[in-house]
Amino acid sequence: MTFEQTKYWVALGRARRMGTTRFRKLEAYFGDLGNAWEAGAAQLKAAGLDAPSTQAVIEIRAKVSPEEEMARLETAGVQPLTWHHPEYPPRLKHIDDPPPVLYVKGKLIPEDERAVAVVGTRSPTAYGREVAASLSGELAGSGITVVSGLALGIDTIAHRSALSQGGRTVAVVAYGLDITYPRDNSGLSRQIEELGAVVSEYPLGTRPDARGFPRRNRLISGMSLGTVVVEASEKSGARWTVYHALEQNREVFCVPGSIFSPASRLTNRLIQEGAKLVSGYTDILEELNLRVVSRQIEMRLTDGLADNLPPSPDEEEEVKLLRWLNHEPMHIDDIRRNACLPVALVGSLLTMLELKGMVKQVGGMHYVRTGEATPIYGN
């Protein structure tokens, strides 16, 4: 999507009541939202907007310049991604109400699709702090992007631990990206921007509001394969992340705690109700079918100290094969024809990819790509 098109999405996002449903109505009716920006009240109503929403668009046009909005974003170092932008998180597109525009400081990359959310109380116990640091660090060290909400407590520990392992972390916040909140995390926020991304669905200048945080949590779970709750009371904001994860059909993991600890009441109850109990980071990786990609092993391979281990899956033939595999079972003969490779070579490649946890045979010589295999773009 071009600058000329994006600026109207950003400007319309300033209007009250303009959420996912109304953006979809405008796009379906007008196609190019530049036409919606110029439309009169009758056309906006014909597109499906109710009277208050129509009035909100008309009012915002008198106050906002699309060009100036884009200039403000550039000055603030913020990139707006509409849901048509190639860098918009693919998993986020499939929740019920994806933000029409996602504002980003830093950089989202394809590898962030291998993400796990780590959330919990703002007032963790010593046990909770230790567990959050261990799980987040181990996940990041295994090539998993750690997603959290930049709040004090478990969120802060999750982000810091991921960064300490040289890993990726994404912070999802409930205010404009020109706002510093909480102030104690201003330095951490800058680190995340440099080594990951801070994202928000809110335009610049939007102040933190208690109503925004539960809604923000749908993005934390929506960007992730699963959500890990470390410590949380029954009234913790983390419960909203759990509810959203369940609605989005994402996995929920909980760390068990003392039956006497108020900080573990929500997590213990959720385990009783079917959440996956976490005793270590490998529980999460195994449940999500994610292979451990430890940095120590990668270093040993690079240094030639582990020649007996399988090489990294970047050989031309393996990449070529993976392009034709997805999560729908495909027979080996169809794989061979699509990849234009000899049947003997295809068999050996599939065996190697199975050992690496990147493909799985599901019976009758049919194969699927697992969650471990990062999406490969192009032909």
Side-chain angles (χ1 to χ4, degrees), residues 326-373:
N326 54 39
H327 300 295
E328 293 295 326
M330 181 178 290
H331 193 270
I332 188 171
D333 289 339
D334 296 322
I335 299 171
R336 177 188 61 80
R337 280 193 293 269
N338 289 334
C340 297
L341 293 172
V343 65
L345 177 58
V346 169
S348 63
L349 289 174
L350 287 170
T351 299
M352 183 60 70
L353 288 169
E354 273 196 284
L355 291 172
K356 294 175 182 178
M358 303 187 78
V359 303
K360 181 179 180 181
Q361 186 178 171
V362 292
M365 299 303 288
H366 285 78
Y367 292 82
V368 296
R369 195 168 71 195
T370 69
E372 162 57 23

Side-chain angles (χ1 to χ4, degrees), residues 17 43 174 178 191 236 310 317 329 361:
R17 304 168 58 87
Q43 283 182 293
D178 55 340
Q191 281 185 284
S236 171
E317 292 86 356
Q361 186 178 171

